[in-house]
Amino acid sequence: MTDSRATFDAAFGADLHVELRGSGLRSGLMDALREAVRTGRLVPGTRLPSSRSLAADLGIARNTVADAYAELVAEGWLTAQQGAGTRVARRAAPRKPAAGVARARPTRGGPAYSLLAGSPDLASFPRAEWLKAARRALTAAPHEAFGYGDPRGRVELRTALADYLARARGVYADPERIVICSGFVHGLMLMGKVLRGRRVREVAVESYGLDVHWNLLTEAGLRIPPLPFDELGSRTGELGSLRGVGAVLMTPAHQFPMGVPLHPDRRAAAVDWARGSGGLILEDDYDGEFRYDRQPVGALQGLDPERVVYLGTASKSLAPGLRLGWMVLPADLVRAVLEAKGPVDWVSSALDQLTLAEFITSGAYDRHVRGMRLRYRRRRDQLVAALAERAPDIRVSGIAAGLHAVLELPPGTEHSVIQAAAWQGLALEGASRFRHKDAVAGRDAVVVGYATPPDSGWAGALDALCRSLCGADKVSPSGD
């Protein structure tokens, strides 16, 4: 007979596309099912449709399907039990790779420990409280929440964020000027489009930062000259001398990765430049909730909400996997950002937004941040104490806030420390990794993300770090 194709959708089975080939219906069906199991399209334990349902979907006699099932059970491909239906047998049938696809080669294991900056302790995500908030949010969700959604994001979350950011970060945040995005990178992508639309050609950046952010700007067609940097932060007084710059990207509360807050005079200078030139400040407030030995440094946005684009996320306070961020925009930018984003909210789950709104308004977010602040402070104190005992010549800076510290090293030793860490099974990055290619070379240092390891790995990571600092001089230039 000629080939026939069918897709079956039964109440008691799985959707499956099958091809019946050959001269006989029964043998064609058996071959198709064997092939589906052999290639892994039907995994062990999958319940198949009843013989009546499959026969109706394929347009063949029920007895034909029943006979095919019975023979495949006898061969061991399927199992059949009263009340449990017909299922794919739990057998060790190997899956054959598709033609032309090479098998993956086994890879060497990664580092045993990680002190890379930029991640919170993922093991501390508040699962139970988040689940409670999700249940309450789902119960109360209006029917329209399951539609495509407002491109600004759910009004419940924008309202909760407006209250929280004003209270905790000193941000002037009207819900109508907040746009929800999937994280800082998404927000920066949107701003890249908007800036190009405003005929901006250059965005100044800090001498130290993340190349992934710089690359997004250059991919948008923007040049990224670096601002000089010293112990007081970026030298914003020099913005005026950078002709053609229409915006500046900054981390003023806690410079990433060098860890210093922007000096008050330089905060004022940045705002003065923006007012006088018509430029914009893109403020990355990536870890503003976490401070330890100083008064909170409020968001720069509070000094001039019409000249600062405030970008925040739940990535450090909760987890980056939530993919939830927010932009607080000057009034004249809201329309342009929404046009860049598109007509519907296609990037952030409405239910996740509603859950975060409930998490904030219920007080669970504040409780979680306070608890994590204590946890990370203990980590920081343990890091400082271990270094004082085992590597007393190492100067530690950038520790009054945030989730990472900067360890200053003797000149010319940064590379050897990174090599020594690799031999200790420790993932670690040097400050030079974050330096702009056009920036003046700075001091040798490593950036230690002390929030990253789970509790079970913290002691081992700290020990590996200290051994790396003490054993760097034993690593040869060749790494042998």
Side-chain angles (χ1 to χ4, degrees):
M1 61 173 288
T2 59
D3 293 359
S4 65
R5 297 175 182 267
T7 299
F8 58 81
D9 179 11
F12 300 104
D15 293 336
L16 179 68
H17 175 76
V18 294
E19 297 183 7
L20 305 185
R21 299 191 177 191
S23 59
L25 292 176
R26 183 171 62 84
S27 62
L29 176 59
M30 290 173 59
D31 288 343
L33 291 174
R34 288 192 195 97
E35 185 66 12
V37 174
R38 186 181 296 113
T39 59
R41 289 196 297 118
L42 277 178
V43 299
T46 300
R47 185 170 185 174
L48 300 182
S50 67
S51 58
R52 184 189 302 278
S53 297
L54 184 55
D57 289 334
L58 296 178
I60 60 180
R62 181 184 178 187
N63 286 344
T64 302
V65 177
D67 290 345
Y69 277 2
E71 189 159 343
L72 290 173
V73 168
E75 292 178 3
W77 292 95
L78 306 178
T79 62
Q81 292 182 359
Q82 185 69 30
T86 303
R87 297 178 182 270
V88 177
R90 297 189 180 279
R91 57 198 296 274
R95 298 187 182 184
K96 294 185 178 179
V101 178
R103 291 182 180 270
R105 295 182 179 180
T107 57
R108 297 178 63 185
Y113 305 105
S114 174
L115 289 174
L116 299 179
S119 176
D121 177 5
L122 301 178
S124 296
F125 182 79
R127 297 171 188 250
E129 290 299 320
W130 185 262
L131 181 58
K132 292 177 184 177
R135 285 172 172 162
R136 292 194 298 267
L138 182 59
T139 300
H143 297 318
E144 51 89 15
F146 301 98
Y148 287 104
D150 188 327
R152 291 171 297 180
R154 291 298 306 177
V155 66
E156 296 90 341
L157 179 55
R158 291 186 284 115
T159 301
L161 284 170
D163 293 341
Y164 173 78
L165 294 173
R167 168 172 56 83
R169 301 297 300 131
V171 172
Y172 176 81
D174 185 279
E176 297 303 306
R177 293 168 62 165
I178 296 177
V179 173
I180 304 302
C181 52
S182 66
F184 178 81
V185 165
H186 181 215
L188 190 60
M189 291 173 62
L190 296 177
M191 284 307 306
K193 294 181 182 179
V194 170
L195 291 171
R196 285 290 294 176
R198 291 164 66 99
R199 298 187 177 180
V200 171
R201 293 296 178 265
E202 294 190 3
V203 176
V205 298
E206 296 173 308
S207 289
Y208 290 84
L210 288 171
D211 55 6
V212 65
H213 298 164
W214 299 337
N215 291 341
L216 286 174
L217 295 173
T218 57
E219 288 167 5
L222 298 160
R223 293 185 291 274
I224 52 167
L227 274 176
F229 179 87
D230 60 27
E231 67 277 1
L232 300 180
S234 296
R235 285 153 48 180
T236 54
E238 300 187 24
L239 279 168
S241 63
L242 298 177
R243 301 301 179 187
V245 167
V248 57
L249 173 63
M250 306 183 69
T251 51
H254 187 232
Q255 203 284 326
F256 185 88
M258 303 312 288
V260 299
L262 188 63
H263 189 275
D265 291 345
R266 296 186 179 180
R267 290 165 66 93
V271 173
D272 289 344
W273 166 81
R275 289 171 177 168
S277 67
L280 288 170
I281 300 170
L282 310 182
E283 179 178 13
D284 179 4
D285 193 32
Y286 67 100
D287 65 358
E289 288 102 341
F290 298 107
R291 73 274 179 182
Y292 314 116
D293 303 324
R294 70 179 191 205
Q295 292 297 313
V297 176
L300 189 64
Q301 190 263 9
L303 297 180
D304 194 334
E306 301 306 325
R307 301 260 48 98
V308 180
V309 175
Y310 176 91
L311 298 107
T313 78
S315 296
K316 305 299 184 292
S317 57
L318 287 167
L322 293 178
R323 309 311 309 144
L324 286 172
W326 42 89
M327 310 169 71
V328 184
L329 301 164
D332 65 349
L333 280 184
V334 174
R335 180 182 295 274
V337 169
L338 292 178
E339 289 175 352
K341 187 180 181 186
V344 296
D345 189 10
W346 55 270
V347 293
S348 301
S349 161
L351 290 180
D352 287 340
Q353 292 183 52
L354 291 170
T355 300
L356 180 57
E358 171 64 24
F359 201 71
I360 293 172
T361 56
S362 69
Y365 187 82
D366 284 271
R367 292 192 297 273
H368 174 70
V369 168
R370 285 196 299 270
M372 296 309 297
R373 193 180 294 147
L374 291 173
R375 174 187 291 267
Y376 293 147
R377 179 170 184 158
R378 285 195 295 269
R379 289 272 185 95
R380 183 211 61 174
D381 291 346
Q382 290 164 355
L383 169 66
V384 172
L387 293 172
E389 178 183 353
R390 299 177 59 179
D393 295 333
I394 299 297
R395 177 177 174 268
V396 188
S397 63
I399 59 174
L403 307 180
H404 69 274
V406 178
L407 311 187
E408 187 170 348
L409 304 173
T413 62
E414 180 180 309
H415 180 65
S416 61
V417 168
I418 298 300
Q419 282 188 303
W423 280 104
Q424 296 291 338
L426 174 65
L428 187 65
E429 291 178 314
S432 61
R433 154 74 177 79
F434 302 97
R435 190 170 60 241
H436 192 288
K437 65 181 180 62
D438 295 330
V440 176
R443 62 182 187 256
D444 281 35
V446 291
V447 181
V448 175
Y450 53 79
T452 304
D455 284 345
S456 59
W458 169 237
L462 190 55
D463 184 58
L465 173 66
C466 291
R467 290 199 305 269
S468 302
L469 294 169
C470 297
D473 56 345
K474 299 179 177 64
V475 178
S476 71
S478 65
D480 297 330

